[in-house]
Each structure stands twice: as structure tokens, then as C-alpha cells.
Amino acid sequence: MWSRNGLAQDVQEGSALNDRIDPRITRTVRAFEQAVVELASERPVSQITVAELADRAGVTRATFYNRYSTPLDPLIQVLHDDLERAHRREDEVRAQGGHSARELLRLATAGVADHVERFTDVYRNSLADPADSGVYEALVRHFGEYTLAFLARTEPAGVRGADRRVIAQFMAHGFAGAIKAWLGDPSVTKDDLVDAAVACAPAWWTSGSTPDAASQQRRSS
């Protein structure tokens, strides 16, 4: 269960870099983000009205529309910021060196699983509502962008000549589908999810490939 104390802390961290010039704007953003997570933990975000979100945040509807279009917008921002924090931890471990590609994949997958656990009610409510596809689509989009970044960084030989956008969508829907299966089956543990995701990863992802000499030369030229 997502605690309000934990929510306040993570929302504050997620928004710390936003709107530094005007603290009032920062406080408003945090209020909206905390309020929307609380409400989305109770029912799907598609059933949340702007009026009740503004009321929970303690601001006006006009203030909401100054920044957002729908309650989904601040919710996606919270989820995105939390996922990015997990990836930054992954980057820190990668920079230390001494870890295989498989170990890094396990770390990244575990970080995503921790994120989903922090927002379990949000994801479960969203996946249970046919009208609420926005959260799942955002998760797919995030994994797609992550895959494209991975391909650009490692340039694995196993995918040369293939359309990277298609590869990214293939991987993204696979990871998101695994999370959906995990949330839909109480018998599946977080470790089960991580083990399955790593086992399904293609060889080019876990082989630890590095950019070839030609690619490095192109970058330096």
C-alpha cells in the first residue's frame, strides 16, 4: 500500500527540479501530484474528475487547467519521475563497472518492479478499467524509450539492419505485458517477474555488446 508519507516524499523529490523560480508553482504541482496518486489509488484515473482533484489538492479548477488537460497528466508525470529515479540508480551502478549486461538488466527490471509495487493500487485500478488505458500506454511508451536508449548506447550486432522503432515496441509491450500478468495473478511474486523478464530477454540484450570500431569512429568524427 502506498503511504501518504512516502507519497509526499517521492512527489517532492520528483518535482524538486521543476519550477524552481516560483516556489508557489512548485507547491501547486506537488499538491496535484499527491492528490492524483491518492485518488488513483482508490479508483481508476478515468473516473476522477478535475473538480474533485482540485478539491483534494486545495486549489481551483482554473489552476489545474493552467498546467494540465486531464487528471491523467499529473499522474503520468509522477509515475515517469519515479521510474526515472530507478534508472538513475541503474546508471550509477553501470558507471561503477564490474557488472555484466545480464546483471544490469536484472537490476533495471527489479527497479521497475519496485516502482510498480510503490504504485500497486494505481496500476491495478487502471488495468481493471477498460476505459483507463492511459497508464498502461504510458508504461509501454516508457519501456519503448528505454529500449531505444539502450540500443543507441550499446549498438548490439544482433539488431543491425532491423528497424529499431519496431524492436522497441516489441520489447516495450513484452515488459508491460509481464507487469500486467504479475499484477493480475497474486501467486506471481516480484522475483518471479524479474526472473521471467531476464529469461525472455534476447541474447543481444544480455551479451554485453559494445559499439564496434566503425561506430566509435563515426561518433568521434
Side-chain angles (χ1 to χ4, degrees):
M1 177 66 71
W2 185 250
S3 69
R4 293 196 177 187
N5 289 337
L7 169 61
Q9 179 180 355
D10 277 0
V11 167
Q12 181 175 356
E13 292 175 359
S15 301
L17 298 180
N18 295 331
D19 303 309
R20 285 181 174 178
I21 297 177
D22 191 339
R24 295 171 299 177
I25 296 177
T26 302
R27 287 194 296 270
T28 299
V29 170
R30 291 174 184 168
F32 276 129
E33 292 180 346
Q34 181 167 345
V36 77
V37 172
E38 290 175 354
L39 289 169
S41 297
E42 299 167 5
R43 61 185 184 282
V45 67
S46 61
Q47 299 176 17
I48 299 171
T49 67
V50 171
E52 64 181 325
L53 176 55
D55 182 67
R56 180 72 68 95
V59 296
T60 66
R61 283 183 292 178
T63 301
F64 175 88
Y65 285 118
N66 283 338
R67 299 194 63 87
Y68 309 109
S69 297
T70 71
L72 179 64
D73 296 338
L75 179 61
I76 294 304
Q77 189 61 54
V78 172
L79 299 178
H80 175 269
D81 289 347
D82 193 71
L83 281 167
E84 285 302 305
R85 280 194 292 275
H87 292 320
R88 285 197 293 273
R89 287 192 287 271
E90 174 195 349
D91 291 339
E92 291 170 358
V93 172
R94 180 183 294 107
Q96 295 171 3
H99 297 276
S100 69
R102 180 173 289 272
E103 289 171 336
L104 290 171
L105 175 59
R106 176 171 289 277
L107 174 67
T109 306
V112 172
D114 290 340
H115 157 81
V116 175
E117 268 197 336
R118 286 191 288 274
F119 295 91
T120 297
D121 292 335
V122 172
Y123 280 108
R124 281 193 171 138
N125 286 336
S126 174
L127 294 175
D129 182 10
D132 187 9
S133 61
V135 172
Y136 183 79
E137 290 172 357
L139 195 61
V140 170
R141 187 164 57 252
H142 178 85
F143 287 142
E145 292 170 354
Y146 179 86
T147 302
L148 288 172
F150 175 87
L151 292 172
R153 181 176 67 248
T154 62
E155 299 186 6
V159 300
R160 287 175 189 160
D163 191 309
R164 295 190 175 191
R165 292 169 299 177
V166 175
I167 293 172
Q169 286 299 297
F170 181 89
M171 298 297 297
H173 282 276
F175 277 116
I179 289 174
K180 186 175 182 179
W182 171 39
L183 292 175
D185 186 349
S187 70
V188 179
T189 68
K190 181 167 64 176
D191 288 340
D192 291 336
L193 169 68
V194 175
D195 289 343
V198 174
C200 290
W204 52 260
W205 193 298
T206 57
S207 63
S209 301
T210 57
D212 57 23
S215 298
Q216 293 176 346
Q217 184 174 4
R218 287 196 301 271
R219 288 180 173 180
S220 61
S221 60

